[in-house]
Amino acid sequence: MKLTERIHLCGSGAFGLTPDGDCHCYVLDGGSELALIDCGLAGNPQSILFQMEKDGLDISRLKYVLLTHAHPDHSNGCAWLREHLGIQVIASGFEAQILEKGLLETLKVRWEDGDYQQFAGMLRSKADQVITDQEIIQVGDLQITALFTPGHTKGSVSYEVEIQGLRQLFPGDEVFYRGFISVLTPPFSDFEHYYEGLKNLKGRKIDGLFPSHLMWTLQHGQKYIDKALWDFEAAQRPSLKPFS
């Protein structure tokens, strides 16, 4: 599904593009190269590749997966894409650790202690590149800025790119349309640093906001980030949505 000239939605269980459980998976078209932002729940993400081909995107140009975080609905396709297509997986250091060792193992949580079966079954992979805050990732002719936004997870990353004069943001599960945020029970989210993570998005004049669940918006995205910040600063009661 083509959303803008350079942005496609090629995975989403909620919208019926790909199997249930997939988060929204976006493709950034950098001309000579493509980047997939998150890669869904399925261990074999053929349905995402099929949607890319339906949109007229050449799979041979797909070079990167940019992970917002390593929950299974965002990252289970990484191993297959690395092994079969040679795709490079890019993530923060903490999420790279989760991707390789497992979420429960990294957090030292036993799945028998709660309703954590979805995390116990997550697939493992490696990250090819560990990024730092404010690092620039070149995808074809696009320069994508990695912004560390801890909160939904300790290592969550948002990705910003300017396309034809408009600033587009892919915040994963950090902030949603209408200013919702997503906090899981400790230790799965990092609520202590959520406000600090959101402040990394303050004043960035975001136009398009493309979260991993719910709706996206093509304009005025900054006002939803500002709403989430206001909830922390003034209301001191963030508006929650329980997404993993």
Side-chain angles (χ1 to χ4, degrees):
M1 180 188 299
K2 190 173 184 178
L3 303 182
T4 75
E5 189 62 30
R6 296 290 195 102
I7 300 171
H8 297 250
L9 180 69
C10 292
S12 174
F15 293 141
L17 292 177
T18 53
D20 290 345
D22 279 356
C23 68
H24 300 339
C25 301
Y26 301 96
V27 176
L28 283 173
D29 186 350
S32 61
E33 296 180 325
L34 305 173
L36 182 61
I37 298 181
D38 294 333
C39 56
L41 183 65
N44 183 340
Q46 288 287 347
S47 57
I48 294 175
L49 301 179
F50 175 71
Q51 291 296 331
M52 291 177 63
E53 290 178 330
K54 281 183 63 177
D55 275 10
L57 298 171
D58 182 357
I59 301 300
S60 68
R61 292 192 288 132
L62 181 59
K63 303 300 181 183
Y64 309 99
V65 172
L66 309 183
L67 278 188
T68 63
H69 62 289
H71 283 165
D73 58 326
H74 296 251
S75 65
N76 265 3
C78 286
W80 192 95
L81 290 168
R82 289 183 78 246
E83 179 180 353
H84 294 276
L85 297 182
I87 306 302
Q88 294 186 44
V89 175
I90 298 175
S92 70
F94 185 78
E95 302 302 318
Q97 182 180 0
I98 288 174
L99 194 62
E100 183 172 357
K101 297 182 179 180
L103 180 64
L104 301 184
E105 290 77 6
T106 300
L107 297 178
K108 296 180 172 54
V109 174
R110 291 165 19 108
W111 73 265
E112 299 93 337
D113 294 338
D115 186 20
Y116 305 140
Q117 185 62 48
Q118 61 169 320
F119 298 131
M122 68 180 291
L123 303 179
R124 311 296 171 79
S125 182
K126 289 183 178 293
D128 299 282
Q129 181 180 344
V130 173
I131 50 173
T132 57
D133 186 33
Q134 306 289 333
E135 184 168 345
I136 303 298
I137 304 159
Q138 192 75 37
V139 178
D141 60 6
L142 295 178
Q143 289 190 332
I144 302 165
T145 303
L147 301 169
F148 278 21
T149 47
H152 178 68
T153 67
K154 183 177 179 180
S156 287
V157 180
S158 298
Y159 296 97
E160 180 189 304
V161 60
E162 185 169 324
I163 302 173
Q164 297 177 333
L166 298 176
R167 293 188 180 183
Q168 319 287 11
L169 184 75
F170 302 84
D173 290 0
E174 191 72 10
V175 60
F176 298 96
Y177 182 73
R178 298 186 64 186
F180 295 119
I181 67 168
S182 179
V183 179
L184 305 181
T185 55
F188 296 98
S189 282
D190 184 11
F191 187 72
E192 179 183 359
H193 297 103
Y194 216 124
Y195 174 55
E196 295 301 317
L198 283 174
K199 284 203 297 185
N200 213 9
L201 305 177
K202 188 173 185 176
R204 302 198 71 87
K205 300 180 181 179
I206 298 301
D207 295 294
L209 183 69
F210 300 94
S212 296
H213 301 278
L214 300 176
M215 284 302 299
W216 61 87
T217 183
L218 301 181
Q219 56 184 335
H220 309 308
Q222 187 68 46
K223 72 178 182 181
Y224 301 112
I225 298 167
D226 293 344
K227 170 60 167 61
L229 284 164
W230 182 89
D231 286 338
F232 273 93
E233 294 167 349
Q236 297 184 349
R237 187 179 63 185
S239 298
L240 304 177
K241 285 288 184 181
F243 294 111
S244 62

